[in-house]
Amino acid sequence: GQIRQAIADRQECSVVLKNYRKDNSLFWNNLFLAPVPDDHGEITHYIGVQNDITAQKQYERELAYNTSHDLLTGLPNRGLFQDRLTQVCSISSRHGDKVAVLFIALDGFKLINDSLGHVTGDEVLKLVSTRILMQIQPGDTLARIGGDEFVLLLPDLQDRTSLQNFAQRILSVISESASVNGQTIQITASIGISLSGSELADPMQIVQQADLAMYKAKQSGRNNYQWYTPDMDITLNKRLNLKSLLKNAIENQELELYYQPQVDAVSGKLTGIEALLRWPHPELGFISPEEFIPVAEDTGLIIELGQWVIEQACAFNYAMQQRGVATLPVAVNLSTLQFQRSNFIEQLQQILVEKQLEPRYLELELTESLLLDNIEHVIERLHQLKQLGIRIAIDDFGTGYSSLNYLKMLPIDKLKIDRSFIRDIVSDKRDAAICRAIIAMAHQLDIAVVAEGVETSAQAALLRKSLCDEFQGYHFARPMSASDTERFLRQYEIKCDTTAHNADSAQTLLLVDDEDNILHALKRSLRKEPYQVLTCTSAAQAFELLALHDVQVIVSDQRMPKMSGTEFLSQVKDMYPDTVRLVLSGYTDLRSVTEAINRGAIYKFLTKPWHDEELRSEIAAAFKRYAEQVQKRKH
């Protein structure tokens, strides 16, 4: 039509033509047509010039594709995704339908890039995109919008349950292990899900909401999915606010170091101090490290902050030594990001030289999770630190995923048992067993053990019996400012409760009954006997006394609130198997008593009211039995 019109108007024209060769392959021409007049100005004929512009067309098409697609995976990019989302949202809102967006972020992808290189990283991204594409329907759109971040648009939303099943399926296919460039790699993902709502002005808000939900999935331990909820916006705003506050705090030097002493479990002498970061905000008061440390790690501020902590702690320690206050190592917590930096060791050496601190007075505390990342590199780096003379501790031990195989390869000085195991150690046989096992294992590897969060003398006594080496916690000292720490160290006197309350040779009897008058009557019956008699009215108090003293014989009432005598003695059997245990009761639930006797939890069953003579002879027999048991074990 354009050519016909040009001839009719006797004008020149330029058109692009789409042609096919004999073999049916497509090619493009650019045809330029111009009229040729004779001497009288009459047009006698036309001249046409044709160019093959197939290559140019191909280039234009590639250019258009590249501006709307991710070159690595071939998936749509953010721009194209936004167009499709806008279209889908306008159609669905007219029909009253909902649209789902899944925000998918890989877990630990940075580590793969850093340790195995970008080539392997790129292959992993291609593999993940292929795995997700195989799960989706023709109308769905999967896009890559950032380094390791994908978004998935599902226009034909079924019900919530099928969407949950679908999200779970995506998690499963991503987490299947694969061989990439000769390396076996297993990667997981965190997914956030958001649904469209009529009130959203900009469809991309759905993506932001799904992003927030993905962040929640990361916080919930990764490799799971979370739904967006409106309270996530509040959390995000708080985090953004905290981020800018933290930046200012670092610039204005608002943060300060507090120190918490550590003591030797046997001698009570001071063994070190741990530096702890505190943020006393002028308006908001103290902001908890649980709140600001994750923000510092997410934003990379932790590197600057970590450097500052090491500098401050080293300077403080050297100053104390110079003033003759104390000569102790100072422990500093290290973040994974800090430890992984290529120039970390050089920077550390520089700080020690600048602050004039001998390396043996610096201890670095690492978390177990740090050990999971590229273990060969970690081992090599730890050996470099050890060669410098720096001490190394594993913090929060028991809460991560330590491989015992790695533990024997690491040059570690200390393990710190996490406070969560210490809290109920006096009454919870599992916590007590875990602590005993950690201590025994560490000692086999020539590693010292520190218990964190020791708050009572009963906890300290039980840990001491379990051969724990050092204590840290409120029972000995709270974290204190630099000036208070100095005052504490100058005035420190060894606490008397570091030795057992009674000599091992004393025969110690524990009486447990919830009625005071019964306890008085029992004590009166035994007043002429050569025993140290301890009394209490509940199982909880009994556990405290058992931790604090070396008890050989226990007489417990059967009917007590919260826990029966047989239950109590069953637990005691697990924690203190050497004790000889008797039940005293006026009430007989024969089944529970028989069961307890059969399980070996009870040695004898005595009835109320008792005959003094009989009671005294039974208790004497129990002490004799205890002595025989100990003797038998020695031979």
Side-chain angles (χ1 to χ4, degrees):
Q2 209 177 333
I3 298 173
R4 213 176 280 122
Q5 188 64 45
I7 293 171
D9 296 344
R10 302 187 169 202
Q11 299 286 326
E12 56 186 48
C13 76
S14 176
V15 289
V16 174
L17 303 172
K18 183 179 177 183
N19 292 310
Y20 290 92
R21 297 190 181 91
K22 279 182 182 174
D23 64 357
N24 250 357
S25 62
L26 172 75
F27 71 99
W28 294 85
N29 286 127
N30 183 2
L31 170 63
F32 175 72
L33 203 59
V36 182
D38 60 12
D39 297 344
H40 308 292
E42 292 295 318
I43 296 197
T44 53
H45 60 283
Y46 284 78
I47 290 178
V49 180
Q50 279 200 91
N51 288 320
D52 186 340
I53 57 162
T54 307
Q56 186 192 335
K57 272 287 181 191
Q58 177 69 20
Y59 174 70
E60 284 171 7
R61 199 161 61 245
E62 278 179 20
L63 205 61
Y65 180 86
N66 291 351
T67 54
S68 63
H69 287 75
D70 166 51
L71 295 185
L72 177 68
T73 58
L75 297 174
N77 62 13
R78 183 184 283 272
L80 182 53
F81 182 84
Q82 191 165 350
D83 288 347
R84 291 200 186 162
L85 179 64
T86 308
Q87 278 177 335
V88 166
C89 282
S90 67
I91 294 166
S92 66
S93 66
R94 282 203 298 274
H95 295 108
D97 295 334
K98 280 200 181 305
V99 171
V101 168
L102 275 68
F103 198 110
I104 305 163
L106 303 184
D107 302 325
F109 179 72
K110 184 182 179 301
L111 192 66
I112 289 178
N113 255 350
D114 291 352
S115 56
L116 303 176
H118 289 276
V119 175
T120 302
D122 287 353
E123 288 304 315
V124 170
L125 291 171
K126 285 195 239 177
L127 180 75
V128 167
S129 66
T130 307
R131 285 180 174 181
I132 302 171
L133 282 170
M134 288 175 77
Q135 301 300 319
I136 66 178
Q137 304 296 322
D140 305 340
T141 300
L142 175 67
R144 180 181 172 219
I145 60 164
D148 61 351
E149 295 177 336
F150 300 85
V151 277
L152 181 52
L153 169 62
L154 306 175
D156 300 323
L157 181 61
Q158 303 303 307
D159 56 292
R160 203 174 163 103
T161 309
S162 60
L163 186 54
Q164 282 174 309
N165 294 339
F166 175 72
Q168 194 55 58
R169 198 161 70 244
I170 297 285
L171 289 174
S172 300
V173 296
I174 291 175
S175 66
E176 286 168 15
S177 63
S179 180
V180 180
N181 296 339
Q183 295 268 3
T184 301
I185 286 175
Q186 185 163 20
I187 195 161
T188 58
S190 299
I191 300 180
I193 310 172
S194 180
L195 304 179
S196 62
S198 53
E199 69 284 352
L200 292 181
D202 174 12
M204 283 304 276
Q205 278 181 268
I206 310 170
V207 177
Q208 287 166 1
Q209 291 176 348
D211 187 2
L212 283 178
M214 178 280 294
Y215 190 81
K216 175 76 189 297
K218 290 259 189 206
Q219 284 182 314
S220 305
R222 306 176 172 194
N223 194 21
N224 69 95
Y225 64 83
Q226 297 287 333
W227 292 86
Y228 164 78
T229 54
D231 61 347
M232 289 177 185
D233 290 317
I234 300 161
T235 312
L236 176 73
N237 291 336
K238 193 175 172 189
R239 284 185 75 83
L240 293 173
N241 191 24
L242 208 53
K243 181 180 160 185
S244 60
L245 284 176
L246 186 57
K247 271 188 106 116
N248 293 338
I250 293 170
E251 282 163 24
N252 304 334
Q253 299 194 328
E254 276 176 28
L255 294 140
E256 61 176 295
L257 283 187
Y258 272 46
Y259 298 90
Q260 188 172 28
Q262 298 166 337
V263 304
D264 184 279
V266 178
S267 69
K269 287 178 183 167
L270 291 164
T271 54
I273 52 173
E274 182 184 359
L276 298 159
L277 199 51
R278 292 291 179 264
W279 181 5
H281 190 274
E283 283 95 50
L284 303 169
F286 274 90
I287 297 175
S288 153
E290 277 83 24
E291 280 187 75
F292 74 81
I293 295 290
V295 173
E297 284 180 332
D298 285 350
T299 54
L301 288 169
I302 194 73
I303 291 167
E304 187 183 339
L305 209 48
Q307 177 97 342
W308 179 83
V309 169
I310 296 174
E311 286 172 8
Q312 292 288 310
C314 289
F316 174 68
N317 198 0
Y318 177 72
M320 278 206 314
Q321 291 186 19
Q322 289 304 101
R323 288 202 294 277
V325 178
T327 306
L328 298 165
V330 63
V332 172
N333 291 281
L334 266 196
S335 83
T336 308
L337 280 176
Q338 220 178 333
F339 183 77
Q340 283 171 344
R341 281 176 79 81
S342 55
N343 61 346
F344 168 67
I345 289 183
E346 290 75 21
Q347 280 187 333
L348 196 58
Q349 280 176 287
Q350 203 178 327
I351 292 171
L352 289 167
V353 171
E354 274 175 23
K355 306 300 175 191
Q356 300 176 275
L357 188 71
E358 287 180 53
R360 64 196 170 122
Y361 294 119
L362 176 64
E363 184 173 289
L364 298 176
E365 293 194 3
L366 317 173
T367 56
E368 283 178 278
S369 55
L370 186 144
L371 306 178
L372 289 176
D373 303 342
N374 193 358
I375 189 71
E376 284 77 19
H377 175 64
V378 170
I379 291 171
E380 183 190 334
R381 187 157 272 197
L382 290 183
H383 277 294
Q384 288 174 315
L385 290 169
K386 284 295 289 178
Q387 278 161 6
L388 290 176
I390 290 166
R391 297 149 70 106
I392 295 157
I394 303 294
D395 198 13
D396 304 336
F397 188 78
T399 57
Y401 310 93
S402 280
S403 158
L404 300 184
N405 191 32
Y406 292 149
L407 209 52
K408 68 177 184 190
M409 294 151 65
L410 298 168
I412 297 167
D413 298 288
K414 275 184 190 177
L415 286 185
K416 298 185 79 178
I417 303 179
D418 188 67
R419 64 184 62 245
S420 59
F421 298 111
I422 307 298
R423 195 171 39 239
D424 300 321
I425 190 173
V426 171
S427 57
D428 188 318
K429 65 176 184 185
R430 286 161 303 201
D431 283 342
I434 288 168
C435 290
R436 276 199 304 273
I438 291 173
I439 294 164
M441 175 193 69
H443 287 173
Q444 286 292 318
L445 299 169
D446 290 326
I447 298 171
V449 180
V450 185
E452 290 187 286
V454 180
E455 296 187 358
T456 66
S457 49
Q459 289 170 341
L462 185 58
L463 284 159
R464 198 174 296 113
K465 285 178 188 173
S466 305
L467 306 180
C468 185
D469 301 290
E470 294 174 29
F471 298 144
Q472 181 178 344
Y474 281 13
H475 182 58
F476 301 95
R478 291 170 170 269
M480 298 168 280
S481 65
S483 56
D484 287 350
T485 300
E486 194 164 320
R487 197 173 305 118
F488 176 88
L489 296 177
R490 282 187 191 278
Q491 297 168 355
Y492 182 73
E493 285 176 20
I494 291 168
K495 285 203 171 188
C496 60
D497 75 345
T498 52
T499 48
H501 278 268
N502 54 301
D504 286 349
S505 57
Q507 290 187 314
T508 306
L509 169 68
L510 173 61
L511 304 175
V512 189
D513 198 301
D514 61 332
E515 291 181 46
D516 278 326
N517 59 343
I518 300 275
L519 290 174
H520 286 309
L522 283 168
K523 276 187 88 166
R524 204 167 45 248
S525 305
L526 300 164
R527 68 185 179 279
K528 289 184 178 162
E529 301 302 310
Y531 313 135
Q532 177 186 10
V533 180
L534 307 172
T535 60
C536 64
T537 56
S538 70
Q541 290 172 354
F543 281 121
E544 293 232 342
L545 290 169
L546 284 164
L548 288 164
H549 302 267
D550 286 326
V551 173
Q552 292 101 29
V553 177
I554 304 166
V555 177
S556 171
D557 180 23
Q558 170 64 359
R559 289 187 89 163
M560 291 189 294
K562 293 190 182 165
M563 194 183 284
S564 72
T566 44
E567 274 178 87
F568 162 61
L569 292 175
S570 294
Q571 285 200 33
V572 171
K573 174 188 180 257
D574 291 322
M575 291 178 74
Y576 303 95
D578 287 345
T579 52
V580 180
R581 301 164 294 274
L582 297 87
V583 161
L584 179 64
S585 179
Y587 146 88
T588 318
D589 162 13
L590 212 55
R591 211 173 114 257
S592 68
V593 173
T594 312
E595 200 181 310
I597 291 171
N598 290 344
R599 281 212 315 269
I602 295 173
Y603 161 63
K604 281 277 174 77
F605 181 83
L606 311 175
T607 53
K608 286 180 186 172
W610 63 88
H611 296 293
D612 284 1
E613 206 47 57
E614 192 185 327
L615 177 76
R616 284 195 286 268
S617 72
E618 288 292 5
I619 290 173
F623 275 109
K624 192 174 173 208
R625 181 182 170 86
Y626 176 85
E628 284 165 1
Q629 282 174 193
V630 173
Q631 205 56 35
K632 203 181 288 177
R633 206 166 45 247
K634 282 180 183 170
H635 293 303

